[in-house]
């Protein structure tokens, strides 16, 4: 008989700091933090709460009175882990763990735990491991007492010796170098795959959106795939790609990407940049929104902020997809439909029922008409820079050398043509 995995009793706290100009509405922020905690199968969330603070205390985050109050609550409920929905410095973490006699995990640590639990592909595992090590490296500052001790030299090295914290940091740096090399090999293979796709006249349509917006459900509906789609934050992590034939339109490659979230840890933005390169290369971006969510506008702003930080061109063709109409009251759903009809580039749909998908697919096909076209360029031998750029961008379909230079057959977009003309 299989033993059940032991559940860790957890409590979720959302610090609402008045001095924080970018703070969100505390109620939905706490609900999201609890949902994040619920995404880990080993956690049993016993309770949660918002802690209002005029400002963050440097050493303990919370004031002494609030710490004592929470200590009694945590002890009474036999809590083993406290999840704090926000950044916690290494010093604050150590002090709170001493005061409460529990393990502390901040928002970044929690998201890293979820990603570590979910990553399935070799690339995803490597990226999460690198992000976790980068995060742990910042936690080494006097986080544990054994790190404050010094190790003596071997007799032939002068000086007081190397502190344990320096040795641990060096070990992490060495491991990061090894992981980066492994990841480079994986990324190189994927780059070759993307280069071969670029030679095929299939435009790329990328699904992006806040986590749990319904991207995977939409992906499954359009492709007939069986990508994991659950009412859960970060249900899918690794990108999935499928070929789809649009009705009365071109064939496309549809890409489902990892969901975004507010205050996404910088370590993860950097680590998953390679995964999200499919978004950078996309001809059309579908921004999927959970229109039934009371914080939908804030979520959309968070997604746009992350896209901007990744370097996605503002002029890239985008379609906003208002998903989950089926979860709205009929009157409100009808108002959304009418507004979407009035505004260009917005479609109100339900990926679950299929409502509105015909109009969305027709719009994608219309926007992709003429997106990529074939053209033969005549280059002289002196135009080496332009020729090199064409190969670098994987645009060359065929090349024939002539007496004066090269006849190059390219498959490109108007945007790429304009960039070429500026070289």
């Amino acid at each position: 008989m299989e033993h059940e995995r032991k559940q860790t009793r957890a409590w979720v706290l959302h610090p609402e700091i008045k001095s924080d100009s970018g703070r969100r509405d505390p109620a939905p922020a706490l609900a999201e933090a609890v949902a994040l905690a619920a995404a880990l199968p080993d956690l049993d969330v016993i309770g949660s709460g918002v802690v209002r603070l005029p400002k963050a205390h440097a050493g303990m985050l919370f004031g002494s009175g609030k710490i004592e109050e929470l200590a009694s609550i945590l002890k009474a409920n036999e809590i083993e882990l406290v999840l704090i929905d926000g950044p916690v410095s290494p010093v604050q973490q150590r002090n709170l763990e001493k005061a409460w006699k529990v393990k502390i995990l901040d928002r970044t640590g929690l998201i890293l735990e979820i990603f570590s639990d979910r990553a399935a592909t070799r690339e995803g595992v490597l990226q999460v491991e690198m992000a976790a090590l980068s995060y742990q490296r910042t936690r080494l500052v006097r986080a544990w007492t054994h790190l404050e001790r010094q190790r003596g030299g071997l007799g032939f090295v002068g000086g007081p010796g190397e502190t344990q914290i320096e040795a641990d940091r060096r070990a992490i740096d060495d491991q990061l170098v090894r992981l980066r090399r492994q990841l480079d090999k994986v990324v190189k293979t994927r780059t070759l795959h993307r280069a071969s796709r670029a030679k095929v006249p299939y435009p790329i349509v990328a699904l992006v959106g806040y986590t749990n917006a319904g991207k995977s459900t939409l992906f499954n509906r359009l492709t007939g795939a069986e990508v994991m789609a659950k009412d859960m934050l970060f249900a899918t992590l690794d990108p999935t790609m499928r070929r789809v034939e649009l009705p009365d339109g071109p064939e496309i490659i549809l890409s489902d990407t990892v969901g975004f979230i507010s205050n996404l840890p910088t370590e993860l933005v950097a680590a998953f940049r390679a995964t999200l390169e499919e978004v950078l290369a996309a001809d059309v971006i579908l921004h999927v929104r959970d229109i039934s969510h009371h914080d939908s506008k804030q979520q959309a702003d968070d997604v746009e902020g992350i896209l901007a930080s990744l370097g996605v061109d503002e002029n890239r063709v985008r379609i906003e997809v208002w998903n989950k109409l089926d979860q709205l009251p009929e009157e409100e759903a009808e108002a959304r439909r009418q507004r979407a009809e009035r505004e260009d580039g917005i479609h109100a749909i339900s990926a679950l029922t299929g409502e509105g998908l015909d109009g969305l697919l027709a719009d994608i096909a219309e926007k992709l008409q003429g997106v990529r076209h074939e053209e033969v360029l005549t280059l002289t031998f002196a135009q080496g820079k332009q020729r090199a750029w064409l190969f670098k961008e994987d645009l060359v379909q065929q090349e024939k050398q002539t007496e004066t230079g090269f006849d190059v057959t390219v498959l490109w977009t108007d945007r790429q043509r304009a960039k070429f003309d500026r070289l």
Side-chain angles (χ1 to χ4, degrees):
M1 182 174 153
E2 195 176 323
H3 292 286
E4 289 186 14
R5 293 167 75 175
K6 183 181 179 296
Q7 294 271 294
T8 300
R9 293 172 69 85
W11 198 277
V12 180
L13 297 175
H14 173 76
E16 188 197 3
I17 304 169
K18 287 184 180 177
S19 58
D20 183 3
S21 58
R23 72 181 193 275
R24 302 169 66 201
D25 187 356
L30 177 64
E32 180 179 277
V34 171
L36 276 172
L40 279 176
D42 293 339
L43 291 187
D44 181 13
V45 180
I46 304 300
S48 62
V50 174
V51 182
R52 290 175 172 78
L53 302 168
K55 64 174 184 177
H57 294 255
M60 301 285 280
L61 184 61
F62 307 111
S64 56
K66 182 56 71 174
I67 285 176
E68 287 179 22
E69 178 192 329
L70 289 168
S72 60
I73 294 173
L74 299 175
K75 187 176 180 182
N77 288 277
E78 300 178 343
I79 299 303
E80 304 165 86
L81 172 68
V82 173
L83 303 165
I84 297 178
D85 185 35
V88 178
S89 73
V91 172
Q92 290 169 341
Q93 178 179 339
R94 184 187 62 171
N95 290 339
L96 287 173
E97 286 180 342
K98 280 183 178 179
W100 291 340
K101 306 290 190 297
V102 297
K103 174 69 180 165
I104 301 291
L105 204 59
D106 68 0
R107 184 181 177 88
T108 299
L110 175 58
I111 293 174
L112 282 168
E113 287 287 338
I114 296 169
F115 274 48
S116 177
D117 190 58
R118 300 278 169 77
T121 65
R122 177 64 176 152
E123 182 179 12
V125 170
L126 287 171
Q127 287 170 327
V128 171
E129 199 172 337
M130 283 181 64
L133 284 171
S134 299
Y135 172 71
Q136 287 168 18
R137 195 182 188 281
T138 67
R139 306 271 109 183
L140 289 181
V141 185
R142 300 174 66 83
W144 298 279
T145 53
H146 83 275
L147 298 179
E148 298 168 11
R149 296 198 300 269
Q150 286 190 328
R151 295 193 331 185
L154 296 175
F156 52 86
V157 178
E162 180 183 46
T163 61
Q164 184 65 47
I165 187 172
E166 288 166 345
D168 287 2
R169 186 176 290 131
R170 189 161 46 80
I172 285 179
D173 288 341
D174 291 344
Q175 179 68 357
L176 280 170
V177 169
R178 283 194 294 273
L179 288 173
R180 203 166 282 121
R181 284 180 188 147
Q182 292 177 48
L183 185 60
D184 284 345
K185 291 179 183 176
V186 177
V187 170
K188 199 172 288 183
T189 303
R190 193 167 42 76
T191 303
L192 291 173
H193 290 165
R194 192 164 60 246
S196 64
R197 281 200 304 272
K199 294 181 184 299
V200 179
Y202 296 145
I204 295 174
V205 176
L207 298 172
V208 302
Y210 208 79
T211 183
N212 214 28
K215 296 185 307 302
S216 295
T217 303
L218 178 58
F219 184 85
N220 290 343
R221 168 71 70 162
L222 294 179
T223 64
E226 294 182 358
V227 172
M228 181 183 176
K230 293 180 69 175
D231 184 16
M232 177 195 292
L233 299 187
F234 297 119
T236 51
L237 285 187
D238 296 296
T240 312
M241 309 191 79
R242 293 285 188 279
R243 199 169 77 184
V244 177
E245 189 167 349
L246 296 178
D248 302 320
E251 284 189 80
I252 64 168
I253 292 176
L254 190 66
S255 172
D256 184 19
T257 60
V258 61
F260 298 159
I261 196 166
S262 66
N263 304 318
L264 187 69
T266 53
E267 294 92 348
L268 279 178
V269 173
F272 275 81
R273 188 181 183 88
T275 302
L276 294 168
E277 278 175 1
E278 297 296 350
V279 178
L280 297 174
D283 296 292
V284 175
I285 294 175
L286 297 187
H287 178 179
V288 183
R289 289 175 56 180
D290 176 359
I291 206 64
S292 69
H293 197 284
H294 50 264
D295 220 7
S296 182
K297 177 65 172 68
Q298 177 66 51
Q299 291 182 349
D301 291 342
D302 288 332
V303 170
E304 292 297 336
I306 294 170
L307 288 176
S309 71
L310 288 169
V312 175
D313 186 359
E314 284 184 10
N315 298 320
R316 186 69 50 88
V317 177
R318 299 191 198 195
I319 298 175
E320 199 164 286
V321 181
W322 291 356
N323 191 26
K324 302 195 182 182
L325 276 184
D326 54 287
Q327 295 190 15
L328 288 173
E330 183 51 38
E331 192 176 322
E332 192 177 340
E334 184 55 34
R336 296 288 188 184
R337 292 186 193 99
Q338 291 179 8
R339 185 181 163 193
E341 285 174 9
R342 289 194 305 269
E343 297 187 30
D344 185 41
I346 296 178
H347 288 268
I349 70 154
S350 167
L352 200 61
T353 67
E355 179 188 348
L357 292 187
D358 289 344
L360 173 61
L361 293 174
D363 195 13
I364 294 172
E366 185 180 326
K367 285 182 165 51
L368 285 174
Q369 290 303 328
V371 162
R372 293 190 185 192
H373 56 276
E374 198 169 83
E375 190 174 341
V376 178
L377 303 177
T378 301
L379 303 179
T380 65
F381 289 118
Q383 291 179 290
K385 178 185 173 184
Q386 288 86 339
R387 179 170 172 265
W389 182 86
L390 292 171
F391 278 99
K392 178 172 170 286
E393 296 294 314
D394 292 315
L395 302 175
V396 178
Q397 303 295 295
Q398 189 179 341
E399 181 185 66
K400 189 170 77 174
Q401 187 169 338
T402 65
E403 291 183 6
T404 57
F406 302 92
D407 284 341
V408 186
T409 304
V410 297
L411 185 71
W412 58 6
T413 64
D414 290 338
R415 188 174 63 253
Q416 289 167 326
R417 169 78 204 200
K419 197 177 286 187
F420 174 80
D421 291 339
R422 291 195 296 271
L423 292 175

